[in-house]
Amino acid sequence: MTSEWWRTAAIYQIYPRSFADANGDGMGDLAGITARLADLAELGIDAIWLSPFFTSPQKDAGYDVADYCDVDPLFGTLTDFDAMVEEAHARGIRVIVDLVPNHSSDQHDWFQAALAAPVGSAERARYLFRDGRGENGELPPNNWESVFGGPAWTRVTEADGTPGQWYLHLFDSSQPDFDWTNEEVREEFRRILRFWLDRGVDGFRVDVAHGMIKADGLPDWSPAADAGSMGGGAEAEAVPAPYWGLDGVHEIYRDWRALLDTYPGERILAAEAWVDPLPRVAQWVRPDEMHQAFNFAYLETPWQSDALRRVIDDSIAAFAAVGAPSTWVLSNHDVVRHATRLALTEPNPQGHGVGPRTPGLGDPATGLRRARAATALMLALPGSAYLYQGEELGLPEVIDLQDDARQDPTWFRTNGERYGRDGCRVPLPWTASAPSYGFGPTDAAWLPQPASWASFARDVQRDDPASTLSLYRSLLAARRAHGLASGSLEWPLGETPEVLSFRNGDVVVVANTGSAPVALPAGEVLLASGPLDEASAQLPGDTTVWLRAA
Ligand code: GLC
């Protein structure tokens, strides 16, 4: 008998750099997380997922790993990690860590050895080294582009000082892709999985889980349109990308699942797979593969009732077809925070980000109202929900970061044409009146916090019943009390344009995605994402309400 906790879990993403800084160096750390677990227990989440804290030169904020089995000194030590896991488990919170198998850092021992070793060596065969095209190999081996902009190949200088081979990096040049057809790579990752499983982690979020296998021969490919950098929108491509979502990735996950299943306690795998449509995403969570896959189709759906209804139905159907729960997510460390995104009036492809020169930024108050309504809708849906640190405070994207403060490789690789993801990664405000708003004991913060952060601080929201933090706490408590995550949807309950309404168990949920008020159905109001006018029985625009079913 298993609990299958992951089918219904509310999972809170911690971005360690920006969560809480115990030692005052301006960078969050593991000790900071441990000290703040009480706040997360109070929020009412079931698990945390930590973005990478492994040894890394931090060229891509830790998604460039130099040692998969150690903690970067910026974040602490393995002893700090063990203490954090122990404290989380004591509070009933499970711990998921990030696994980055598509690429390592160029500072990883293996890559350094590959650079020192000759063409055709076993050291080079762990990565994707190829000879260049052109008379003297001066052109990249194919025309692929990096997700962060610019070519996906970098030429090395051989040990004798001559221009040499090229290596593939789907992301930054500091992130060489592994060759996953090489058994040595596979065995190394089994070792890494065991290392963390033995330390007691409850699962892994698998980075770029759609990218590890490349088409034979690495053929040229030109995307049809810029549909977001991570492969979302593949449907629109006449010829699919020769590196996103190839069938060969699945045997890797079957292998890992078998390994995880030898451990007690339901350890899980969650896929970051930017593919579509949803039935394709569901391939990652077939019974012998992963447990969960992020639902980016949901994240990318506009705040619009019919589009939402469609994606919710499609999600539940696609995942149920393989026996998996749907997941739901609105924000993470790669996308514009939903309190800003849902008010944008111009298209904004994933990864491009927003900044002072972005057109169509929309009204922040509308954004926050929609974000609260969207979360109230999401947390009423059956399945597992992911929350990104700071959304429970209603944080917007930081738009006016100075150019010289920006750190995302996207910003550099596109010469500032794309702002990238720094705006969703600014360190959290905990205490309005403290230095760095309580992020740490000093005023240091690796990305500058705006002055407006004081009004979002956790301490000013904690006792305010109208705050976004109070809303999240109530939503999570009611989601649990009413068993909504293990429920099922019945809908529609009447057809009103711009209104989404369904029943899940003994709760009726009504979301008004329009701007004009609509009639509020009769019944006891359990929760609302914003002020209601109960006297005149109106549900204002951009508001979601939970009612007790008659
Ligand atoms: C994933 C991560 C992102 C990172 C990229 C390369 O998409 O979420 O932050 O930059 O992979 O590892």
Side-chain angles (χ1 to χ4, degrees):
M1 173 66 194
T2 62
S3 70
E4 302 204 321
W5 63 274
W6 41 275
R7 289 185 176 272
T8 57
I11 303 177
Y12 181 96
Q13 179 187 357
I14 292 182
Y15 194 66
R17 300 171 71 89
S18 305
F19 185 70
D21 173 18
N23 66 3
D25 64 354
M27 180 65 67
D29 44 41
L30 295 174
I33 297 171
T34 307
R36 293 294 189 180
L37 285 170
D39 297 83
L40 297 185
E42 180 185 287
L43 180 62
I45 46 97
D46 301 299
I48 50 178
W49 147 39
L50 273 65
S51 282
F53 49 81
F54 316 106
T55 313
S56 161
Q58 305 288 326
K59 290 283 170 43
D60 184 23
Y63 281 95
D64 48 322
V65 181
D67 182 346
Y68 288 86
C69 297
D70 206 349
V71 172
D72 194 285
L74 273 179
F75 301 114
T77 62
L78 280 170
T79 310
D80 294 332
F81 178 80
D82 293 342
M84 196 262 313
V85 172
E86 195 183 329
E87 176 73 15
H89 284 169
R91 293 181 180 280
I93 297 174
R94 300 190 198 241
V95 179
I96 295 171
V97 297
D98 220 303
L99 185 75
V100 189
N102 180 68
H103 45 264
S104 71
S105 160
D106 60 357
Q107 300 306 307
H108 190 287
D109 284 349
W110 275 13
F111 193 73
Q112 289 299 313
L115 291 179
V119 174
S121 59
E123 287 82 356
R124 289 219 171 166
R126 295 159 173 163
Y127 293 92
L128 290 157
F129 281 85
R130 294 290 183 274
D131 293 335
R133 296 201 275 210
E135 223 171 291
N136 301 304
E138 71 281 10
L139 299 172
N142 71 23
N143 71 348
W144 297 359
E145 286 187 16
S146 151
V147 169
F148 295 153
W153 295 92
T154 292
R155 193 171 196 187
V156 304
T157 303
E158 300 297 351
D160 64 2
T162 57
Q165 286 194 302
W166 299 70
Y167 66 90
L168 178 70
H169 51 87
L170 290 181
F171 294 87
D172 189 53
S173 56
S174 65
Q175 295 167 297
D177 283 47
F178 285 115
D179 184 348
W180 270 90
T181 64
N182 185 335
E183 178 54 30
E184 207 187 342
V185 172
R186 294 185 186 224
E187 189 50 33
E188 175 64 0
F189 273 86
R190 289 183 201 111
R191 183 182 79 82
I192 295 163
L193 288 169
R194 285 193 207 98
F195 178 86
W196 293 103
L197 290 165
D198 290 339
R199 287 200 109 81
V201 306
D202 299 286
F204 301 89
R205 174 265 188 189
V206 181
D207 191 63
V208 197
H210 57 318
M212 286 137 75
I213 297 290
K214 282 78 179 172
D216 283 345
L218 311 181
D220 276 346
W221 180 69
S222 302
D226 192 346
S229 43
M230 288 290 280
E235 248 177 324
E237 302 290 357
V239 182
Y243 43 81
W244 292 146
L246 271 73
D247 281 345
V249 298
H250 296 288
E251 76 184 53
I252 301 170
Y253 305 130
R254 288 192 196 100
D255 181 50
W256 291 3
R257 176 62 180 265
L259 191 158
L260 260 69
D261 284 349
T262 65
Y263 280 78
E266 295 186 90
R267 320 291 179 102
I268 73 158
L269 294 166
E272 185 213 25
W274 288 87
V275 296
D276 60 13
L278 279 156
R280 234 181 125 214
V281 184
Q283 294 181 349
W284 271 253
V285 289
R286 288 176 287 199
D288 57 350
E289 295 192 41
M290 300 208 189
H291 299 75
Q292 295 186 336
F294 285 95
N295 188 343
F296 295 124
Y298 186 70
L299 184 151
E300 291 187 320
T301 302
W303 178 239
Q304 211 218 330
S305 58
D306 33 346
L308 284 164
R309 165 134 195 237
R310 217 174 312 123
V311 74
I312 292 168
D313 272 341
D314 289 353
S315 303
I316 292 172
F319 289 112
V322 293
S326 186
T327 62
W328 312 102
V329 61
L330 289 165
S331 280
N332 66 31
H333 66 294
D334 290 328
V335 302
V336 175
R337 282 187 177 277
H338 67 286
T340 297
R341 191 181 69 238
L342 295 177
L344 295 179
T345 58
E346 302 275 337
N348 185 261
Q350 186 274 330
H352 287 212
V354 294
R357 296 181 293 279
T358 304
L361 283 171
D363 164 44
T366 305
L368 180 56
R369 214 168 39 243
R370 287 187 183 161
R372 292 171 54 123
T375 301
L377 171 64
M378 176 176 88
L379 291 178
L381 297 172
S384 174
Y386 276 83
L387 305 171
Y388 175 51
Q389 68 177 39
E391 65 170 89
E392 78 278 22
L393 305 176
L395 290 184
E397 187 83 357
V398 178
I399 290 162
D400 53 2
L401 282 172
Q402 298 291 314
D403 288 358
D404 60 7
R406 293 191 180 274
Q407 307 213 9
D408 187 342
T410 308
W411 167 258
F412 299 105
R413 291 184 63 87
T414 63
N415 294 318
E417 191 194 308
R418 298 184 197 163
Y419 287 105
R421 304 158 295 173
D422 291 316
C424 66
R425 299 173 173 182
V426 173
L428 294 190
W430 294 86
T431 312
S433 61
S436 67
Y437 307 113
F439 166 59
T442 66
D443 59 10
W446 71 277
L447 283 174
Q449 300 162 297
S452 58
W453 249 209
S455 62
F456 290 99
R458 193 168 305 249
D459 71 328
V460 299
Q461 296 203 35
R462 180 169 283 121
D463 299 319
D464 173 1
S467 72
T468 304
L469 181 61
S470 298
L471 173 68
Y472 269 70
R473 228 190 286 128
S474 312
L475 288 167
L476 287 163
R479 175 180 183 267
R480 190 182 294 231
H482 293 271
L484 300 183
S486 51
S488 56
L489 298 191
E490 267 174 67
W491 64 352
L493 306 175
E495 294 280 358
T496 312
E498 314 214 83
V499 172
L500 195 77
S501 66
F502 57 80
R503 181 178 171 150
N504 181 353
D506 62 356
V507 176
V508 167
V509 176
V510 187
N512 180 1
T513 65
S515 47
V518 296
L520 179 68
E524 179 199 341
V525 174
L526 298 169
L527 274 166
S529 68
L532 294 180
D533 184 357
E534 287 192 67
S536 62
Q538 300 268 287
L539 176 63
D542 295 328
T543 306
T544 298
V545 68
W546 293 12
L547 304 154
R548 191 181 300 282

